[in-house]
Amino acid sequence: MSNKQSNYPTAQMNRSIEQADGFISNTVSCISELTNLGKPKNEEELKERIRQYFKFCAEKSFRPGIESLALALGVDRVTYWRWCNQDIHVSSEWSDICKVARQSIIAFTEAAANSGHLSPPIAIFALKNIANYKDAISFEDTTPTLQERRYGRNYNDLPMFNSSEVIESDTKDL
């Protein structure tokens, strides 16, 4: 028994070539439409462009992503990230608008992964790259503290010798 609607890679191998061709032509068509929008000139135009982008994704059943959003904004992905981080001279409002759009894409990716519409490896890769998700790694320090260290004797309890006593004690037995 197989799940023909599954998005997992092993189930996708059984899809017909017609489905793949439809995906390819639809995706190329959507990407071509996104390239014609140009770069926004102010914050209002940026907001409107992002709104248009998400509306476009919903109408065309096109999965939103950082790369396609950057394409719709007329810039490359690196420039988009620099806008989010204000590495380029942009206003804080401009940066905040970009961050909200990025967060929307992250929320969509997470929802798609949780509902089974996005394969786990793709979701993990995307969320690590665009949302800085990390695998949980725990390091525990097992080095004993000074209070936990127990030595037989304290430094002050050790006998102290001056050089003449050491020489006398060494030569007595000779």
Side-chain angles (χ1 to χ4, degrees):
M1 186 161 133
S2 69
N3 178 2
K4 294 185 185 212
Q5 299 302 316
S6 175
N7 286 325
Y8 291 105
T10 54
Q12 290 178 0
M13 293 187 309
N14 296 328
R15 290 187 178 169
S16 68
I17 192 69
E18 293 84 24
Q19 287 175 314
D21 287 344
F23 167 77
I24 292 168
S25 64
N26 183 51
T27 303
V28 171
S29 165
C30 288
I31 290 171
S32 294
E33 285 183 52
L34 291 175
T35 60
N36 297 329
L37 301 175
K39 189 174 177 181
K41 294 173 182 55
N42 57 45
E43 286 85 356
E44 288 306 314
E45 199 173 309
L46 177 66
K47 281 182 197 176
E48 180 58 25
R49 180 69 51 76
I50 291 171
R51 190 193 64 70
Q52 288 173 345
Y53 168 76
F54 283 110
K55 182 179 178 190
F56 173 86
C57 290
E59 289 173 354
K60 302 283 187 171
S61 296
F62 187 78
R63 186 184 71 78
I66 298 296
E67 196 71 45
S68 59
L69 173 60
L71 186 65
L73 296 174
V75 296
D76 62 0
R77 180 186 43 145
V78 174
T79 301
Y80 177 76
W81 286 118
R82 293 178 74 194
W83 283 354
C84 287
N85 298 325
Q86 280 188 294
D87 292 340
I88 298 177
H89 180 64
V90 293
S91 69
S92 60
E93 183 183 1
W94 187 284
S95 177
D96 290 343
I97 294 166
C98 290
K99 286 177 186 176
V100 168
R102 187 191 91 209
Q103 194 61 38
S104 299
I105 290 170
I106 292 168
F108 174 85
T109 303
E110 190 177 82
N114 288 334
S115 65
H117 289 89
L118 192 60
S119 71
I122 299 299
I124 291 167
F125 178 80
L127 292 172
K128 282 183 174 182
N129 282 293
I130 65 172
N132 295 320
Y133 281 28
K134 294 180 179 25
D135 293 323
I137 299 173
S138 175
F139 293 100
E140 296 177 23
D141 186 11
T142 58
T143 308
T145 62
L146 288 176
Q147 291 79 19
E148 295 171 335
R149 292 183 186 154
R150 304 284 182 216
Y151 296 109
R153 299 187 96 175
N154 188 323
Y155 171 77
N156 294 328
D157 296 337
L158 296 174
M160 300 302 270
F161 300 102
N162 63 32
S163 60
S164 63
E165 290 175 352
V166 173
I167 294 173
E168 281 180 25
S169 66
D170 289 342
T171 57
K172 276 187 186 176
D173 297 329
L174 295 176

